[in-house]
Every structure is written in structure tokens, then in C-alpha cells.
Amino acid sequence: MTPPETQNPITDLPDGKKKIDFSARPVLIDGVEVSSIVMREPTVGDQLAVDGIKSAAQKEVAILANLCELAPENIAGLKMREYGLLQDAYQAFMI
């Protein structure tokens, strides 16, 4: 039996942003169920903005929060599988 194809939860939007789909398992952001998060493309300024943060993990959370227009606490509250999708979307901008 062939397993069903899984749809990529990260899609490119026409404006260059990436949409991360959580519709199968919505995430809670400030107590509200959210089925997708949109991430804008990072700039050099985003890297410079977190330059003073010593911890690599805190630096990444701050960048992802900024790119998704969320508070760092919202990112820190995600489950690792959800956080991994944000990391994948971020990495896709670097290709």
C-alpha cells in the first residue's frame, strides 16, 4: 500500500513571504487558535538587530518572532514540531 502524499506545509506567497500551514494541528497564539503563520523574508538588519543576544537559541527565537510579527514568548510556547516548521521556512530563504 502506498502512503498518501503529504502536502508541504510551507508555501511561497507571491510577495516573497512564506506561509506555514498548521491547519491540521492549529497552534495557540495568545490563546487564539491559529491555522497558519506568515513569515517575511529576512534582511541583514534582522541579523544586526539580534547581534547583542549571546544565546544562539534566544537569537533564533527573536529573529523568527520578528519575521512572523509575533512576540518571542509566542514562538517559545510552540511545540518543537511546530517550531521546526518555522526553522524550515527560515532556512528556505537562505537557499
Side-chain angles (χ1 to χ4, degrees):
M1 210 173 184
T2 307
E5 286 189 37
T6 57
Q7 186 176 356
N8 186 350
I10 301 169
T11 55
D12 293 323
L13 299 177
D15 61 359
K17 296 177 182 175
K18 298 205 180 290
K19 179 180 174 184
I20 302 94
D21 182 21
F22 296 106
S23 60
R25 295 182 64 176
V27 296
L28 280 179
I29 303 291
D30 292 330
V32 177
E33 278 194 358
V34 175
S35 61
S36 67
I37 293 175
V38 174
M39 181 183 291
R40 69 172 173 78
E41 186 168 1
T43 65
V44 173
D46 293 314
Q47 291 291 319
L48 295 173
V50 298
D51 194 42
I53 299 173
K54 294 190 188 321
S55 162
Q58 288 177 332
K59 194 177 282 195
E60 183 177 74
V61 166
I63 288 174
L64 294 178
N66 189 36
L67 297 178
C68 296
E69 297 183 359
L70 296 169
E73 297 79 23
N74 296 139
I75 301 298
L78 295 175
K79 292 182 174 53
M80 286 306 294
R81 109 176 47 195
E82 299 153 354
Y83 185 75
L85 290 175
L86 293 182
Q87 289 175 312
D88 291 346
Y90 180 71
Q91 286 301 317
F93 283 118
M94 304 304 165
I95 299 173

